[in-house]
Every structure is written in C-alpha cells, then in structure tokens.
Amino acid sequence: MVLKAYTGFSDRQLVERLNGNIHYQIFCGIMIPPSLPITNFKIVSAIRNEIASRLDIDSFQEVLASHWKPYLDNLHVCMTDATCYESHMRFPTDMKLLWESLEWLYRHICRHCRDLGIRRPRNKYRNVAESYLSYCKKRKRRASRTRMLKRRMIKLLEKLLSQRDGIHSEYGAKVNNIQIDGISFIEHLSFKAFNEGIRLKDCIRMQQKLMNVRVRCVAADSIYANNANRKFCTKYGISTSFVRKGRAAGAGHKASAQQIQECGGILSVLLQEKKEESFKDKNA
C-alpha cells in the first residue's frame, strides 16, 4: 500500500513493476523469481480490502498523531470541514454514463410499476440493451456506430425521464475531517446523512486528545457557526473565524454619534429661526 501511494500506479502497473524491480522487492521483504512472477494483479485489491476490514481508524490515527506531532506546528489551531466521498469511481465515458443512467431508470420504473400494480410503459429499452451489448463486445468501434448508438440512448433516456418523475442521487460516505498543520484526520465517518455543524465540540476534543495541546483557534465555515458552538468557544476563550452576528459595535456608535450631531444642527437652526421671529414681533 505504501508503494502504491508513493508511485501512483494502478494495481496492474504496480504488480508489473514489483516483478521486475529488485528495489521494490527489497522494500517489501520478498524475492520474486523471474520464472515465477506474480500474475494476479487483483492481489493488491484483496490486500486493501483485508486491511480495511481489520482497520480501527481511531487507534490508527492516534498512533500516526503521536509520531507526527514533533514535526507539526500550530497545534493550537483547529480547522474542520465535512465532505462526501464518491464511491465506485471509474473512468467515465459518455457510453458508460448513458447506459448506467438508462439501466438505473428502467430498474426503478419496473419496481414502481410492480409496487403500484400498473402496466409497465412501453419503450425500446430491450432493443437498446442488445445494441449496447453488441457494441461492447467489439474490439474496434467505429465512430459512426458510436454516434448512432449514443443518439438512440439519449432519446431513450429522455423518454424514460418523462415516464419517471424524480431521480434520487446516491452518494458515498460522508466524512467530517479536522486538519492540523496541513494533516487531515477523520473525526466522523458515516454512510448516512448527518449535520456536521453540531460536531465542532467533538472536533476540538479530538484534536486536544491527539496532540495534548489546548485549542485556541478554530477555522470553520458558516454551518458550524450556531449559537451553541459560539457559546462553547466564548466560554473556553477560543478564537473563531465565524462572522459576527448583528451590527458591529463600533459602527453602531459612529452612527449614533452622527445622528446626534445631525439632530443638534437641526435644533440650532430651529432655535435661531424662533429667535428671529420673536425679535420681529417685538419690533412690530
């Protein structure tokens, strides 16, 4: 796994380089005879799945943090944000995306018609499916055939969309991360939706547990800037990047002083006019 992250190779390329590179073999502590090379490149994926099934993220991050701590600065600054990771990532092509959209839509249309007990709407899904299967089996695909099949798939997709209202989006895992001097740690991971705005306290506690340093600064976006988090940070003297609520105090004082000055000027003008009127009345 270290070699894969370091080299950026695919699983197949990594196995090919491992068979022919003596330095990679010494790093991994193995010796591969030239007459018996590794041919199953899927072994890399199998190792990755085995590690993922046995990995305890919390204890693993504590070990990493203890080793990285001497090399990190600004341990009192906590930066946090949440994101959604995509799942089942592959190289996207127009034909793959179109076919997967058609397959997903048609499957849901069939399920809804079965649940509601209504007749399935007529379309040319089976004909397009046969054409796409024949297209995938060909090693050489002419551009004219690709354009023709693409047009058929787009027309079928438009028809299926008109038959099925509302498409639900599917996402991978949602992760709430903290970042310490450029190093990210996973605070919470879930395949279900959650509100990351209520997890700021947990982020601060996690960083203090990993680094044994009191957090004094927090940087987060506006979803974390709720009243509970503001009170928590104020109570423990933590500076934040949150936008101030309401009008700033300095601007309010300046506005009130200006209003008083304007009111004073108006009053002086009125008093001067009243004095002039009374003086005219006395002379009359």
Side-chain angles (χ1 to χ4, degrees), residues 225 227 230 242-253:
N227 291 335
R230 290 175 185 270
F242 301 154
V243 178
R244 182 186 178 90
K245 296 179 69 175
R247 183 183 296 176
H253 291 318

Side-chain angles (χ1 to χ4, degrees), residues 21-278:
N21 194 320
I22 187 65
H23 301 288
Y24 286 3
Q25 297 178 21
I26 294 174
F27 179 80
C28 295
I30 58 175
M31 292 297 294
I32 303 174
S35 59
L36 296 173
I38 299 175
T39 57
N40 183 17
F41 67 92
K42 294 183 179 180
I43 190 174
V44 181
S45 178
I47 294 172
R48 187 163 52 242
N49 292 336
E50 181 70 16
I51 293 174
S53 64
R54 299 175 180 270
L55 179 63
D56 184 0
I57 295 179
D58 295 334
S59 58
F60 179 64
Q61 290 189 141
E62 289 180 4
V63 174
L64 293 178
S66 63
H67 284 79
W68 289 340
K69 183 179 177 180
Y71 306 98
L72 300 178
D73 299 324
N74 303 319
L75 300 181
H76 64 286
V77 179
C78 176
M79 303 177 67
T80 179
D81 198 6
T83 185
C84 287
Y85 290 141
E86 297 182 7
S87 58
H88 306 292
M89 292 182 64
R90 295 179 295 132
F91 181 75
T93 62
D94 294 342
M95 304 303 290
K96 286 182 182 178
L97 294 175
L98 281 171
W99 173 247
E100 290 175 0
S101 302
L102 290 171
E103 191 178 27
W104 187 91
L105 269 176
Y106 184 75
R107 185 174 68 251
H108 281 265
I109 288 175
C110 294
R111 188 184 67 183
H112 290 316
C113 292
R114 184 176 61 253
D115 294 341
L116 296 174
I118 60 177
R119 185 178 179 179
R120 188 185 307 166
R122 296 179 60 183
N123 50 57
K124 296 185 178 181
Y125 176 82
R126 294 181 182 273
N127 296 336
V128 174
E130 293 175 358
S131 300
Y132 179 73
L133 181 60
S134 174
Y135 173 83
C136 292
K137 289 181 178 180
K138 292 185 179 297
R139 297 185 62 181
K140 294 184 178 180
R141 299 159 185 171
R142 292 181 298 175
S144 59
R145 182 177 175 84
T146 302
R147 287 194 300 268
M148 181 180 66
L149 182 57
K150 190 183 296 184
R151 285 196 296 267
R152 291 183 62 190
M153 294 173 75
I154 291 174
K155 289 181 180 179
L156 178 59
L157 181 61
E158 292 175 350
K159 187 168 184 177
L160 290 177
L161 285 174
S162 65
Q163 295 172 352
R164 170 72 171 90
D165 295 329
I167 300 177
H168 305 284
S169 299
E170 295 180 357
Y171 300 94
K174 184 176 181 180
V175 179
N176 190 42
N177 293 330
I178 63 172
Q179 189 176 96
I180 307 172
D181 199 33
I183 304 296
S184 293
F185 296 88
I186 297 175
E187 187 274 325
H188 183 68
L189 183 148
S190 176
F191 283 90
K192 296 182 179 180
F194 63 89
N195 179 16
E196 63 270 23
I198 62 176
R199 305 200 62 84
L200 182 64
K201 300 176 185 178
D202 298 323
C203 295
I204 295 173
R205 295 190 183 103
M206 179 181 178
Q207 177 165 339
Q208 293 180 157
K209 179 182 177 182
L210 291 175
M211 298 299 168
N212 293 323
V213 175
R214 182 174 175 271
V215 173
R216 297 196 301 272
C217 299
V218 170
D221 55 17
S222 58
I223 195 171
Y224 296 89
N226 52 49
N227 291 335
N229 291 337
R230 290 175 185 270
K231 290 179 181 178
F232 178 83
C233 294
T234 302
K235 179 180 178 181
Y236 291 98
I238 300 175
S239 302
T240 66
S241 61
F242 301 154
V243 178
R244 182 186 178 90
K245 296 179 69 175
R247 183 183 296 176
H253 291 318
K254 291 179 181 178
S256 60
Q258 185 178 2
Q259 291 174 357
I260 292 172
Q261 186 176 2
E262 291 177 356
C263 292
I266 294 172
L267 287 174
S268 62
V269 172
L270 292 175
L271 289 174
Q272 184 67 24
E273 290 178 354
K274 193 170 184 179
K275 286 181 180 179
E276 292 178 356
E277 290 178 359
S278 61

